[in-house]
């Protein structure tokens, strides 16, 4: 019986994790589930999995969650303290599926306890890769990638000598606007950006897919997770989203991982690792699919990719600054303050400004410094957004 905890249980990744776990009640015991505003959903999941503890990150929703779980035997907590309580409960495996930098602290706590960390929360790896990976090493804990591309790479590397890896290729669907004329992108709305051609995901990552900020984050994730030099990581636009990643070896072999666009594969691989168990995902019929397409991404259409390369070259706290500025720019786009194309400009200006200040080169191995850079970058991004707005008015 494996004891599992799910952070962000009510989100897209969380729901898929709950789905897999609920199918095998004899194999998994739910320790803690966390969620946000959707109290009814969290309570329903906690009852279904007979969890020990349910936590909402919103302190003011404690009473509502308590009422929703009355008579269930599930303990209830809320707010920052409740989240810490969930992270501290002993578990064998923890899914980190909160969206945003808020996922960093719970993941770190899990690793410090030697818990296997299934990492969907890419923001924590982008902002604090060295801190997370060294916490894992120091405590003999495993980090298992749950992003589909990184799970694909991880699987292609099983039994291989890491020194024989020559390059890594991750694919991108191209997002909602792949075929839009460049000019039209300036007027794209958050609703339009939040529709993905192939994957059903949370709102934020779907918009990040349209702008390729998601792929930019994933480039950095590859570097942090696999220790690959930035020059050896490539992106290919692949509209079908069936090949998730490829690993190229020094003998020229290219190992590709294919699967339907269903996150239950990557989640299930991490859940069952090092074994493979049957998963309820569709099987590919390649004869029916017939054709797979690949093109190089257009740097003018996707400036986020160059920003990621800049961040990878800089190292240090640039990842924390990049992630925070991106989160802030995304909030501004969703809130209607800036246009779709201005998000990259805000992130670039934030990095430019911070390059002129001290701290950006400091190593990303200290939580307080990472969180301080996160806060500073949000302030600088806010200033860049205000400037954009003034320009629009003037
Ligand atoms: P989502 O928006 O659907 O769900 C996010 C979850 O986190 C919810 O349970 C929400 O209540 C909780 N949450 C949000 N903000 C929080 C905060 N400040 N504190 C505590 N909890 C908070 O997101 P998602 O699409 O499931 O993505 C989760 C993470 O996984 C993201 O980092 C995303 O980039 C990554 N990811 C998602 C997919 C996918 O298919 N959805 C694929 C790869 C990676
Ligand atoms: Mg991905």
């Amino acid at each position: 019986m494996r004891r599992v905890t799910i952070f962000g249980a009510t989100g897209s990744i969380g729901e898929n994790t709950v789905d897999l776990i609920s199918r095998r009640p004899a194999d998994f015991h739910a320790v803690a589930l966390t969620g946000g505003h959707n109290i009814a959903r969290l309570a329903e999941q906690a009852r279904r999995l007979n969890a020990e503890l349910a936590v909402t990150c919103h302190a003011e929703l404690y009473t509502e969650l308590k009422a929703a779980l009355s008579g269930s035997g599930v303990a209830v907590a809320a707010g920052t303290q409740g989240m810490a309580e969930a992270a501290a409960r002993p578990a064998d495996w923890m899914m980190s599926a909160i969206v945003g930098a808020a996922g960093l602290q719970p993941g770190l706590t899990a690793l410090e306890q030697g818990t296997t960390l299934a990492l969907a929360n890419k923001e924590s790896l982008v902002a604090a890769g060295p801190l997370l990976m060294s916490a894992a090493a120091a405590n003999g804990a495993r980090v298992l990638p749950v992003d589909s591309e990184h799970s694909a790479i991880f699987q292609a590397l099983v039994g291989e000598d890491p020194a024989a890896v020559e390059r890594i290729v991750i694919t991108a669907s191209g997002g909602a606007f792949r075929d839009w004329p460049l000019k039209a992108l300036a007027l794209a709305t958050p609703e339009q950006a939040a529709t993905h051609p192939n994957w059903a995901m949370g709102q934020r990552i779907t918009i990040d897919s349209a702008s390729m900020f998601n792929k930019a984050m994933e480039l950095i994730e590859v570097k942090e997770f696999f220790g690959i030099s930035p020059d050896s990581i490539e992106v290919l636009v692949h509209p079908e989203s069936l090949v998730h990643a490829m690993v190229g070896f020094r003998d020229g072999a290219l190992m590709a991982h294919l699967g339907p666009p269903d996150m239950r594969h990557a989640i299930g691989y991490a859940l069952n690792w090092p074994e493979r168990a049957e998963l309820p995902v569709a099987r590919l019929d390649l004869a029916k699919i017939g054709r797979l397409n690949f093109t190089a991404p257009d740097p003018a259409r996707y400036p986020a990719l160059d920003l990621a390369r800049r961040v990878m070259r800089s190292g240090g706290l640039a990842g924390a600054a990049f992630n925070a500025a991106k989160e802030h720019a995304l909030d501004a786009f969703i809130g209607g303050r800036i246009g779709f194309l201005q998000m990259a400009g805000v992130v670039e200006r934030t990095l430019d400004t911070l390059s002129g200040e001290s701290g950006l080169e400091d190593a990303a191995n200290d939580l307080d410094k990472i969180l301080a850079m996160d806060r500073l970058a949000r302030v600088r991004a806010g200033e860049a957004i205000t400037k954009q707005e003034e320009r629009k008015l003037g």
Side-chain angles (χ1 to χ4, degrees), residues 8 10-13 36 57 97-98 102 120-123 147 201-202 205 263:
T10 54
S12 168
I13 292 285
C57 63
I98 284 178
N121 176 267
K122 56 188 73 186
E123 294 85 356
D147 219 332
M201 309 185 285
I205 183 174
M263 283 308 292

Side-chain angles (χ1 to χ4, degrees), residues 122 147-150 205 214-215 218:
K122 56 188 73 186
D147 219 332
S148 55
E149 298 76 6
H150 307 77
I205 183 174
N214 181 49
K215 213 46 59 180
E218 292 182 355

